[in-house]
Amino acid sequence: MPVILSVDVEDWAQSTLDTNLPIYPRAQGNTEHLLDLVGEEGHKLTCFVLGRFAEVFPETVRRMAREGHEVASHGFGHVNIYEQTPQEFREDVRRSKAQLEDLIGDEVVGYRAPNFSLGPAGDWPLEILAEEGFRYDSSIFPSPTYRHGRANWPAYPARVLLPSGLSLVEFPAATLRLFGRVLPVAGGGYHRLLPWPVIRWAVSRSMAANQAFTLYCHPYEFDPGEFAHLPIELPWKLRLHQGLGRAGFEAKFRKLLSTFKTQTAQEMLLSGQQWPGHRLQPVISGELATRV
């Protein structure tokens, strides 16, 4: 199984501090830098593009498609799913999907929730995604140690069999079972902090178990100088938590690209794999109504 190479294309401040903040130009520069980097190394990305980013920087989205990267949806406004009603969520993903398809002139088949927030929301978002024409999702961290993780979810790609009769494939974020615990190791802050030998071992161990390693990152993680250019005062604890390890992130990312074979999520979806089924239970009467 190759590494599924994915990036959540968003602005750090807008996605982390306040969803009402503007998308800063540095977000485009960081994204263009990442596209240059993977182009040099001969790899392709699955780009989960936030609608608000695409609204401000449409040409960068067109570049992704032009250079053979997969363009997928990260929703429109970077609002956690569990903070939305089902109708609000449907409108958000429908708006994002239509926007991206209009920009690239091709179908958008994949989705990733902001902050992997599908976990605490429950199963109803998967039904909506399938109804709106998405063929796969990559929004679940199958680890109780992750802030939005979901215990008892398969650590491998699976075809989710929905109560409605629809289905879609779930590519969960990579985890590692160690000392009786399921630990998140999929990228992002984990790869900023972990040394390269540990990252290489985690990816190799996942592949040895015949599990696709779904890796994610953000363009801003390649930018150690970002905070100095933001017109916002940031507490030192936040600077430390969100900035630690950025300076060494790109070097480790390049090593990963030179060590492992990679694919986009769409390539994995179309590879002919027979994904094991994961059947969901029908929603308990009244449960969904409480969210409307």
Side-chain angles (χ1 to χ4, degrees):
M1 288 277 190
V3 173
I4 296 176
L5 197 62
S6 70
V7 56
D8 296 354
V9 181
E10 59 192 47
D11 175 77
W12 178 80
Q14 189 272 336
S15 64
T16 306
L17 300 178
D18 185 348
T19 56
N20 292 314
L21 286 173
I23 305 293
Y24 290 109
R26 205 170 182 92
Q28 182 189 33
N30 291 335
T31 303
E32 296 277 353
H33 171 69
L34 177 56
L35 294 176
D36 291 340
L37 187 161
V38 294
E40 292 170 11
E41 300 289 344
H43 292 259
K44 302 300 181 186
L45 291 163
T46 290
C47 301
F48 291 102
V49 181
L50 188 71
R52 288 194 57 190
F53 177 95
E55 190 174 55
V56 181
F57 303 117
E59 188 49 46
T60 299
V61 180
R62 293 190 186 101
R63 177 189 171 184
M64 295 170 189
R66 188 169 62 246
E67 295 182 358
H69 303 290
E70 178 192 1
V71 175
S73 171
H74 197 34
F76 191 85
H78 211 273
V79 178
N80 291 321
I81 293 180
Y82 56 80
E83 296 175 336
Q84 302 177 64
T85 66
Q87 185 58 35
E88 289 169 340
F89 175 67
R90 187 185 297 276
E91 291 171 358
D92 180 90
V93 297
R94 183 178 290 174
R95 180 181 184 183
S96 169
K97 191 174 192 293
Q99 172 202 38
L100 295 174
E101 289 176 343
D102 183 61
L103 280 175
I104 67 173
D106 201 0
E107 185 182 13
V108 169
V109 299
Y111 174 81
R112 173 170 291 155
N115 299 317
F116 291 91
S117 57
L118 195 148
D123 295 334
W124 60 265
L126 295 171
E127 285 278 14
I128 291 176
L129 291 173
E131 290 168 1
E132 292 300 320
F134 290 95
R135 296 181 58 192
Y136 77 85
D137 174 69
S138 185
S139 302
I140 293 180
F141 241 116
S143 169
T145 60
Y146 180 75
R147 59 176 175 160
H148 291 153
R150 183 181 291 195
N152 302 320
W153 190 275
Y156 47 82
R159 178 163 295 281
V160 184
L161 307 174
L162 300 163
S164 65
L166 298 174
S167 70
L168 76 172
V169 174
E170 177 66 35
F171 293 117
T175 56
L176 183 66
R177 183 172 290 277
L178 192 65
F179 305 124
R181 304 184 70 193
V182 180
L183 305 175
V185 292
Y190 307 105
H191 285 201
R192 282 194 283 113
L193 300 177
L194 292 173
W196 164 245
V198 175
I199 296 171
R200 181 179 58 195
W201 173 76
V203 178
S204 299
R205 179 164 172 169
S206 178
M207 289 181 167
N210 202 33
Q211 297 177 5
F213 191 98
T214 301
L215 178 144
Y216 78 96
C217 63
H218 305 87
Y220 54 73
E221 286 170 310
F222 296 82
D223 184 5
E226 178 178 29
F227 296 160
H229 297 271
L230 284 176
I232 304 171
E233 288 294 326
L234 300 174
W236 71 268
K237 286 186 178 180
L238 184 63
R239 286 174 175 268
L240 182 66
H241 177 259
Q242 292 289 315
L244 191 63
R246 285 195 187 191
F249 186 83
E250 181 170 324
K252 289 184 280 189
F253 187 80
R254 286 184 180 272
K255 287 180 180 179
L256 188 143
L257 295 184
S258 65
T259 303
F260 297 101
K261 178 183 177 182
T262 69
Q263 278 188 339
T264 66
Q266 188 172 27
E267 287 173 331
M268 181 72 78
L269 182 74
L270 300 176
S271 65
Q273 292 280 343
Q274 296 299 310
W275 311 111
H278 180 68
R279 188 172 297 279
L280 298 183
Q281 299 301 313
V283 175
I284 298 172
S285 178
E287 181 180 324
L288 185 59
T290 63
R291 299 182 177 273
V292 178

